[in-house]
Amino acid sequence: MDAPAPLPPFEQAVEALLFASDVPLRAEDLAAVLAEVWGEEVEEAAFDAAVEALNQRYAAGGHAFRIRRLGGGWRHATLDTLAPVLRTLFTDDRDRRLSTSLLESLAVVAYRQPVTKPEIDHVRGVNSDYALRGLLERGLIDIDGRSDSVGRPLLYATTPAFLDLFGLGSLDDLPKLREIEEILTDPSFHRERSRLLSELAAAAAPAGDPDARTPDA
Amino acid sequence: MYRVHLDQFEGPLDLLLFFIRRDELDIHDIPIARIADEYLDAVRTLQELDLDAAADFIYTAALLIQIKARMLLPRLAVDDDGEPVDPRAELVERLLDYIRLKEGAAQLTTAAEARRHVFVRGMAGEERALAPEAPDAPLRVSLFDLISALGTVLRRSAPVEPVTHAVERESYALDEQRAWLLAALEQKGQSFAALLRGRTKPFVIVTFLAALDLAQRQLVRIIHGVTPHDFALERAVPAPEPATA
């Protein structure tokens, strides 16, 4: 079997920087470093190509990691198939799961940012004070200036930690929201709660109550 | 028995969506009169259980009743094309918005789940290093955690002496208890419960206040997570410039 050809110096440099860094690096970060060392500007598109080439090598060589866009920049990350092996190293990941109220508030911020608390409250129909505080404490959102509207309320936006938690390279990678008609016509929209209903009806209404509806039963 | 099920509804709009889904209603043509009544019934139940959470629901119930009333009146408001405005339009708009958003939240959950299977460099080291001495995050302690710990100690505290019907002066002063606490923590950090075992209620309460005060002055650190109903205290190196004058 032929040994693979050595990496060109540029790809080697990109690989070394990404390997050694504990934080995600953006193309502009890489370009700044290389400009300083080599004294020449590198087109940012060249980094996309280098990452692509490196990933192809990793794949061809059967390596356990790839370079991925996470949290606003590139990082080496292991393949998800190896999760069972790696998970044993991690004693505790309770903190990473968000409650429904935190998640909903985070989704409003993510899709509407920058957004004020009154707007978030309006979408959710509840006071989001507690949820926003939780998100701020976890570093998933941050204050992003003030709105020009009456009272100049604070504006909230997501942070790189948010991108990392959801495995997103940038805000452009946010899952696309489906059009409302598509969701409404999706059979699962009604079915999902029908199940809930039968539970509710069973528990809340005594047997034989004519008001207990069980559409799926 | 209703409590369990009301937990399924995160907020007032969820309860409304629940009715819509349950009865497979057309969201653009909600039978407001019926839903408003049903909603109000549910809110009454909720109110008996949990007044705090009920406030947001009452607001939405009021909104439904308002729409119900407007449906009965001749439509005066018209839109840009001169068509009468459906009083439900704004609510429907909000519901649709909320449905989309909830789906966004669900998709984010899926994304987070996938992300949890991927590991980056440096993570393992952090986790290992953090695990044994995690509590360097004083903000994680909510006031409720502290109050809960206080409650636990108070329940265990020594019974108050038989009632004598004489009013005595409060026998513990805050600054005394601050000094006592600092002395008690001189050698090593201690759990709040262990520190105050067998003490009387006044002693426990004033010491609790002293602990909060010292924590604020950054003279002690409060370490949460020993058990759900206890916290630990230890001496902290004071900040270079004490904030208190």
Side-chain angles (χ1 to χ4, degrees):
Chain A
M1 187 181 113
D2 291 341
L7 280 170
F10 175 64
E11 283 163 28
Q12 238 179 11
V14 171
E15 185 179 43
L17 286 168
L18 293 178
F19 173 78
S21 175
D22 269 350
V23 295
L25 293 179
R26 298 165 300 171
E28 54 199 275
D29 301 324
L30 295 167
V33 171
L34 294 183
E36 198 173 313
V37 179
W38 290 343
E40 60 186 87
E41 296 295 324
V42 184
E43 290 263 332
E44 289 188 5
F47 294 106
D48 291 318
V51 166
E52 176 65 32
L54 286 166
N55 275 337
Q56 278 174 15
R57 286 210 180 217
Y58 299 152
H63 285 284
F65 50 83
R66 300 287 182 270
I67 296 170
R68 284 189 52 174
R69 253 185 206 285
L70 284 175
W74 281 302
R75 315 189 70 164
H76 279 102
T78 57
L79 296 177
D80 55 6
T81 47
L82 290 160
V85 181
L86 286 149
R87 209 171 283 132
T88 54
L89 260 177
F90 296 82
T91 41
D92 185 359
D93 58 4
R94 277 173 306 175
D95 262 4
R96 297 173 69 85
R97 287 180 198 257
L98 300 176
S99 71
T100 312
S101 106
L102 254 62
L103 184 71
E104 271 188 27
S105 305
L106 185 57
V108 185
V109 178
Y111 284 99
R112 299 279 163 82
Q113 59 187 310
V115 66
T116 64
K117 187 181 108 59
E119 289 172 286
I120 301 166
D121 291 351
H122 184 74
V123 174
R124 297 186 56 227
V126 294
N127 185 324
S128 304
D129 267 337
Y130 178 80
L132 287 181
R133 210 166 56 226
L135 294 172
L136 282 167
E137 268 175 31
R138 285 159 199 254
L140 296 174
I141 62 170
D142 206 349
I143 291 159
D144 186 32
R146 284 181 181 275
S147 157
D148 288 331
S149 62
V150 182
R152 311 246 306 132
L154 293 171
L155 287 166
Y156 295 95
T158 55
T159 61
F162 158 80
L163 293 175
D164 191 25
L165 181 63
F166 293 93
L168 308 173
S170 74
L171 288 175
D172 296 334
D173 299 336
L174 273 176
K176 293 278 169 288
L177 290 179
R178 281 196 295 169
E179 283 310 312
I180 190 67
E181 285 312 318
E182 205 181 322
I183 301 173
L184 291 180
T185 50
D186 191 327
S188 65
F189 176 75
H190 283 294
R191 205 180 301 133
E192 174 198 342
R193 290 292 162 113
S194 301
R195 180 188 52 78
L196 236 169
L197 156 72
S198 33
E199 285 172 24
L200 181 82
D209 186 332
D211 276 340
R213 302 181 189 79
T214 48
D216 266 9
Chain B
M1 66 182 150
Y2 224 63
R3 179 188 288 272
V4 181
H5 294 282
L6 283 167
D7 282 349
Q8 308 266 11
F9 307 111
E10 277 298 317
L13 295 179
D14 291 293
L15 180 57
L16 199 51
L17 279 179
F18 169 76
F19 290 137
I20 291 168
R21 285 171 155 147
R22 183 195 62 187
D23 299 347
E24 304 197 6
L25 303 173
D26 177 357
I27 200 161
H28 295 286
D29 188 20
I30 304 170
I32 283 287
R34 176 159 70 83
I35 293 298
D37 293 344
E38 204 163 359
Y39 197 95
L40 207 55
D41 275 348
V43 171
R44 286 200 186 98
T45 314
L46 187 65
Q47 224 175 335
E48 280 167 28
L49 297 174
D50 184 350
L51 205 57
D52 268 358
D56 290 322
F57 286 84
I58 290 169
Y59 174 81
T60 302
L63 188 69
L64 286 171
I65 292 163
Q66 190 202 15
I67 296 172
K68 177 179 164 183
R70 284 210 315 232
M71 298 283 286
L72 300 172
L73 298 170
R75 308 225 177 136
L76 297 175
V78 288
D79 63 14
D80 296 342
D81 302 326
E83 293 284 316
V85 175
D86 189 328
R88 299 171 295 186
E90 197 190 318
L91 178 68
V92 169
E93 207 53 47
R94 270 186 74 181
L95 278 176
L96 295 179
D97 218 24
Y98 187 59
I99 292 170
R100 284 191 82 196
L101 180 94
K102 280 189 86 75
E103 214 201 36
Q107 293 201 41
L108 282 177
T109 308
T110 314
E113 200 47 49
R115 173 65 183 82
R116 283 163 50 84
H117 293 287
V118 171
F119 297 81
V120 296
R121 285 176 35 73
M123 270 169 80
E126 280 167 29
E127 291 282 339
R128 284 254 146 146
L130 276 178
E133 43 166 329
D136 196 18
L139 281 177
R140 293 264 178 79
V141 197
S142 78
L143 184 60
F144 301 112
D145 293 326
L146 296 179
I147 299 286
S148 154
L150 175 65
T152 309
V153 176
L154 283 182
R155 274 193 296 281
R156 282 199 218 127
S157 64
V160 183
E161 295 88 74
V163 188
T164 55
H165 297 287
V167 180
E168 280 176 28
R169 210 175 167 282
E170 181 61 71
S171 37
Y172 302 101
L174 196 58
D175 48 353
E176 280 171 23
Q177 288 318 103
R178 270 203 301 264
W180 180 85
L181 196 57
L182 286 175
L185 297 173
E186 191 62 55
Q187 297 303 322
K188 62 181 177 71
Q190 293 212 45
S191 115
F192 184 68
L195 208 52
L196 295 172
R197 187 159 293 138
R199 298 288 187 164
T200 61
K201 278 186 185 181
F203 189 93
V204 171
I205 291 169
V206 180
T207 311
F208 179 75
L209 295 175
L212 293 184
D213 187 52
L214 288 170
Q216 195 185 8
R217 291 163 191 247
Q218 304 194 9
L219 291 170
V220 305
R221 284 202 306 154
I222 293 176
I223 300 163
H224 183 56
V226 183
T227 77
H229 302 295
D230 194 8
F231 58 87
L233 293 164
E234 68 175 28
R235 289 288 290 265
V237 185
E241 269 197 29
T244 44

